[in-house]
């Protein structure tokens, strides 16, 4: 499997050739040597985001076009962990609509005692629910 650098470089090369531009012409447009463009295209050099932006402008494409063909099977792009995993705090998951509504409403509560009571209530419910799941698991080996 190609690295992300190689995949982006390949996309740059395809787009550059499709426009009939040489490596030297692209290099001149973005103030680099053609050797550096070669390194970007073969994936041996990482492309800083500002430089990728310059390349996108020179090739007349949107910067996100460089990511369209990236192989998303890499573990970096794996779906987020399931709730309840002890590693959740390392890889936060995006909030769904229900969670966003709850958070927005919670933030409107100014009374710190009420906020603390709500947090304790949610904690206790989560513990009860987790205990019920463990009990079910123990009954069904």
């Amino acid at each position: 499997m190609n690295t992300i650098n190689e995949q982006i470089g390949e996309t740059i090369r395809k787009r550059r050739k499709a426009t009939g531009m040489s490596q030297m012409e692209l290099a001149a447009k973005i103030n680099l040597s053609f050797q550096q463009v070669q390194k970007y295209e073969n994936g041996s050099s990482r492309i800083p985001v500002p430089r990728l932006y310059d390349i996108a402008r020179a090739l007349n494409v949107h910067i996100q076009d460089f990511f369209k063909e990236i192989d998303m099977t890499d573990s970096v792009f794996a779906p987020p962990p399931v709730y309840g995993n002890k590693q959740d705090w390392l890889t936060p998951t995006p909030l769904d609509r229900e969670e966003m509504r709850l958070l927005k409403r919670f933030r409107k509560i100014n009374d710190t005692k009420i906020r603390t009571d709500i947090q304790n209530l949610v904690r206790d419910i989560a513990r009860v629910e987790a205990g019920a799941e463990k009990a079910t698991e123990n009954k069904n080996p």
Side-chain angles (χ1 to χ4, degrees), residues 42-54:
N42 69 28
S44 63
S45 281
R46 288 185 177 194
I47 307 172
V49 173
R51 181 68 68 201
L52 190 59
Y53 175 78
D54 293 340

Side-chain angles (χ1 to χ4, degrees), residues 47-111:
I47 307 172
V49 173
R51 181 68 68 201
L52 190 59
Y53 175 78
D54 293 340
I55 293 169
R57 289 189 61 190
L59 296 175
N60 198 28
V61 296
H62 293 284
I63 195 167
Q64 64 264 28
D65 291 345
F66 295 124
F67 300 93
K68 287 182 179 176
E69 295 181 29
I70 290 182
D71 179 6
M72 301 299 263
T73 59
D74 189 318
S75 63
V76 172
F77 300 104
V82 176
Y83 285 108
N85 181 340
K86 291 181 181 179
Q87 298 297 315
D88 280 351
W89 64 275
L90 292 175
T91 51
T93 56
L95 299 176
D96 63 25
R97 285 180 184 231
E98 181 181 38
E99 292 166 327
M100 288 295 293
R101 282 194 304 266
L102 180 63
L103 182 57
K104 284 179 183 178
R105 290 172 182 154
F106 181 80
R107 287 179 173 172
K108 289 181 181 179
I109 300 169
N110 294 321
D111 187 316

